[in-house]
Amino acid sequence: MIRSSAKKPSVLSHMRKMIISSVVIGSATLFGLSGAAFAQQPTFEPEAVAFTINGVDFTNQDVSIASVDFAEELQRVDTADRRATMINIMIDMVLLAEEAEKVNVQDAPILKKRMEHLKRLNLRNFYVTDKIQPLVTEELLQEQYVERLARFTPEDQIRASHILVETEDEAKQLITDLDGGKDFAELAKEKSTGPSGKNGGDLGFFRKGQMVEPFYNAAVELKADEYSKVPVKTQFGWHVIKVIEVSQTEAPTYEAIADQLRGQVFSNLFRAKIISLRENAKVEIASDQLPESAAEEEKKAE
């Protein structure tokens, strides 16, 4: 592997994933969109009764809502059995819940806290799904795409193959063999210790920053169909490089990045809403709950 290590995901990236996950979970929970328990049901009627306990009806939507919390367990069950499994899980859950109420478990302080948390969580999910998600319109996505195109700058990209060996002498011998007319791809399959060897050394396209610097610097000096006349050393070993094609990156199509744009637009809307709410709320965090650097910043701001 000779590509440069990828950058670690940013905090914003983590937040975006968390936000989007919340929306997915919230949607499934609130509108019965989980397919886990209903994969075999041709039509989904939310209010149709699925089962009754002590005179109380539980609907398809009740089962679907509950199935979200048991998604991992249901994945281990055959698709044909998931609905029946989920109904049996719910029956046990309802009976245990009724028994818990009989012995006043609901009065436990920790349970009350937990119930408050679940209420806030579901209210948040519902608000995001019902009020923010619909704001992600096709018009906004197209605007975001036009802005992305305006910022797009074509970059040089190189498609290259390489043969990776352990010693400089081995690399020099490979260059001698190539000078003598041997086929690069066949030598790569026979001699290369890298994972691309089985593909004739083909590494596909890469741009600046995507390969370790010595490798890229050597590749960028070559023209199409040229191979390096001097072995190239990196931390992975010794390389003989052949450039297959040099071109420029093309602007992405709307279809190719539509999901990415949708996530970005949603994230912007969500973040804007959060900033607005925080600006209009009085939020105080105990200094001993903050990292030391953040606590110092808080003091300076006072």
Side-chain angles (χ1 to χ4, degrees):
M1 185 66 180
I2 62 172
R3 294 185 185 271
S4 299
S5 299
K7 293 181 180 179
K8 292 183 178 179
S10 64
V11 173
L12 177 59
S13 175
H14 283 303
M15 185 179 79
R16 185 178 297 120
K17 289 179 181 177
M18 185 171 64
I19 293 167
I20 294 173
S21 295
S22 298
V23 172
V24 172
I25 293 171
S27 298
T29 302
L30 295 164
F31 299 112
L33 299 180
S34 170
F38 296 98
Q40 298 301 305
Q41 188 168 319
T43 57
F44 178 73
E45 298 179 12
E47 299 307 319
V49 175
F51 63 93
T52 302
I53 296 180
N54 298 327
V56 178
D57 292 336
F58 292 86
T59 67
N60 282 336
Q61 190 173 53
D62 293 325
V63 179
S64 183
I65 288 171
S67 72
V68 176
D69 292 320
F70 293 91
E72 186 175 340
E73 291 86 343
L74 291 171
Q75 288 298 319
R76 297 194 288 268
V77 178
D78 288 341
T79 302
D81 298 330
R82 287 178 186 173
R83 177 175 168 77
T85 299
M86 191 61 234
I87 288 175
N88 277 302
I89 289 174
M90 274 199 74
I91 290 170
D92 293 345
M93 181 173 62
V94 170
L95 291 174
L96 282 170
E98 289 181 351
E99 183 65 20
E101 285 187 323
K102 290 177 184 177
V103 295
N104 298 318
V105 167
Q106 67 271 22
D107 294 332
I110 188 64
L111 179 58
K112 290 181 178 180
K113 287 287 186 182
R114 180 65 178 165
M115 296 298 287
E116 290 171 5
H117 162 70
L118 291 175
K119 178 182 178 181
R120 287 191 292 268
L121 177 64
N122 281 285
L123 284 171
R124 188 279 303 267
N125 287 349
F126 189 94
Y127 183 88
V128 168
T129 303
D130 193 56
K131 302 299 182 183
I132 298 180
Q133 190 67 32
L135 299 178
V136 182
T137 62
E138 186 66 23
E139 182 180 2
L140 277 179
L141 295 180
Q142 291 288 351
E143 288 178 5
Q144 185 78 14
Y145 178 64
V146 171
E147 290 179 14
R148 183 78 65 91
L149 288 183
R151 297 194 304 269
F152 176 78
T153 302
E155 295 180 72
D156 290 331
Q157 62 177 0
I158 301 169
R159 182 183 175 191
S161 295
H162 80 136
I163 306 172
L164 176 64
V165 290
E166 294 182 358
T167 68
E168 184 178 13
D169 286 341
E170 289 177 286
K172 287 180 177 179
Q173 181 59 53
L174 287 169
I175 293 170
T176 299
D177 292 340
L178 290 168
D179 290 341
K182 287 196 174 181
D183 183 73
F184 191 98
E186 291 304 316
L187 280 175
K189 291 177 182 178
E190 180 184 349
K191 303 290 187 179
S192 184
T193 61
S196 66
K198 60 186 178 184
N199 299 320
D202 193 351
L203 295 166
F205 281 101
F206 55 86
R207 302 187 301 277
K208 186 174 183 179
Q210 293 183 319
M211 291 291 183
V212 291
E213 193 170 340
F215 188 96
Y216 180 83
N217 290 342
V220 79
E221 294 297 324
L222 300 172
K223 296 178 181 178
D225 292 327
E226 287 185 346
Y227 57 86
S228 53
K229 297 295 185 176
V230 177
V232 179
K233 188 178 189 309
T234 72
Q235 64 264 45
F236 303 103
W238 292 87
H239 310 259
V240 178
I241 303 168
K242 180 181 179 180
V243 167
I244 301 171
E245 181 183 347
V246 179
S247 62
Q248 287 195 316
T249 56
E250 297 180 354
T253 64
Y254 175 78
E255 291 74 17
I257 60 171
D259 288 342
Q260 184 184 120
L261 293 172
R262 190 171 289 106
Q264 183 62 55
V265 170
F266 171 78
S267 179
N268 291 342
L269 290 168
F270 183 93
R271 189 167 62 250
K273 186 62 182 180
I274 290 296
I275 290 172
S276 174
L277 291 173
R278 282 178 172 257
E279 286 177 347
N280 291 284
K282 185 177 181 180
V283 179
E284 298 177 2
I285 303 175
S287 59
D288 61 352
Q289 299 300 309
L290 296 171
E292 186 175 338
S293 57
E296 290 175 358
E297 291 296 324
E298 287 283 322
K299 290 179 181 179
K300 291 178 183 178
E302 293 176 354

